[in-house]
Amino acid sequence: MNGIHLLAEEAAEDRNPLLPEVYDIVWSVVVVAVIAFVFYKYVIPRLSKVLDERSNKIEGGIAKAEAAQAEAQATLEQYQQQLAEARLEAARIREEARTQGTQILAQLRAEAQAEADRIVASGHAQLEAQRQQIVTELRSELGHTAVDLAEKIIGQSVSDEAKQAASIDRFLTELDEKVGIGVGR
């Protein structure tokens, strides 16, 4: 036994301590080969399948996102077009309302002017009728006053209606000529 130890000690002294034993290398190669076989047979196909599915999902998601973005862009353009049309329609309605307002104002002004002219004409007619009535009343009163004065001056009664009327008319005609007041004025 001493010989085996000795041999082992000598062999150990000649050997590089960084290199493993041959049987360790062989068993390590066998284990790595089995693990590599299992890895390539089962793990890599499943991993490839998962990565392919994920890649397809991502590509599908990108395609969906691009389609959604294109649809959103089309919707935005349609919205902007509708907004522009609505603004044009609003401007047209405002202009139409302005035009109608101007027409209504002109019509109301014309109606108001016609009503004012009618009121003024009615007022003139009323004033003329009142003037005629006042002139008639004044003539009557003036005639009675003239008859009363004539009776006082003469000292006798002027009772004849025809004479009274003729005297009053003659007096008023003379008065009109002197003062310039006409019956038709």
Side-chain angles (χ1 to χ4, degrees):
M1 248 212 293
N2 273 348
I4 295 179
H5 278 299
L6 223 20
L7 208 35
E9 283 181 23
E10 283 179 21
E13 287 178 13
D14 291 340
R15 212 169 77 52
N16 187 357
L18 295 177
L19 289 177
E21 293 293 327
V22 174
Y23 66 89
D24 284 336
I25 293 174
V26 170
W27 280 112
S28 295
V29 168
V30 169
V31 169
V32 168
V34 169
I35 291 175
F37 174 74
V38 170
F39 192 79
Y40 284 114
K41 181 73 174 170
Y42 297 106
V43 174
I44 289 183
R46 284 190 182 170
L47 185 63
S48 293
K49 182 180 175 185
V50 168
L51 289 176
D52 288 343
E53 287 176 2
R54 183 159 278 222
S55 173
N56 288 339
K57 282 184 181 179
I58 290 172
E59 288 173 3
I62 290 173
K64 285 180 184 178
E66 287 174 351
Q69 187 176 9
E71 184 179 339
Q73 185 66 29
T75 304
L76 177 64
E77 289 172 3
Q78 182 181 8
Y79 168 75
Q80 288 174 341
Q81 181 182 4
Q82 288 174 348
L83 184 63
E85 289 173 1
R87 285 182 179 153
L88 287 174
E89 181 69 16
R92 185 189 61 78
I93 289 171
R94 276 194 306 270
E95 188 60 34
E96 190 174 297
R98 223 178 263 127
T99 303
Q100 287 178 353
T102 304
Q103 290 173 349
I104 290 171
L105 273 174
Q107 181 181 1
L108 289 175
R109 283 182 183 147
E111 288 175 3
Q113 186 61 41
E115 182 66 18
D117 291 345
R118 186 191 64 76
I119 290 172
V120 167
S122 173
H124 283 299
Q126 259 184 336
L127 283 175
E128 188 58 33
Q130 286 177 349
R131 183 179 170 278
Q132 288 298 328
Q133 182 182 0
I134 290 172
V135 167
T136 304
E137 288 176 6
L138 282 176
R139 282 184 162 234
S140 173
E141 284 183 35
L142 192 57
H144 288 300
T145 305
V147 169
D148 288 343
L149 280 173
E151 286 178 351
K152 285 183 184 177
I153 292 175
I154 298 176
Q156 65 181 26
S157 171
V158 182
S159 58
D160 186 12
E161 289 288 323
K163 286 183 181 179
Q164 273 186 357
S167 295
I168 290 171
D169 285 339
R170 188 180 69 230
F171 177 73
L172 288 176
T173 304
E174 289 174 6
L175 186 63
D176 281 344
E177 289 173 359
K178 288 182 183 175
V179 176
I181 298 177
V183 178
R185 285 190 177 176

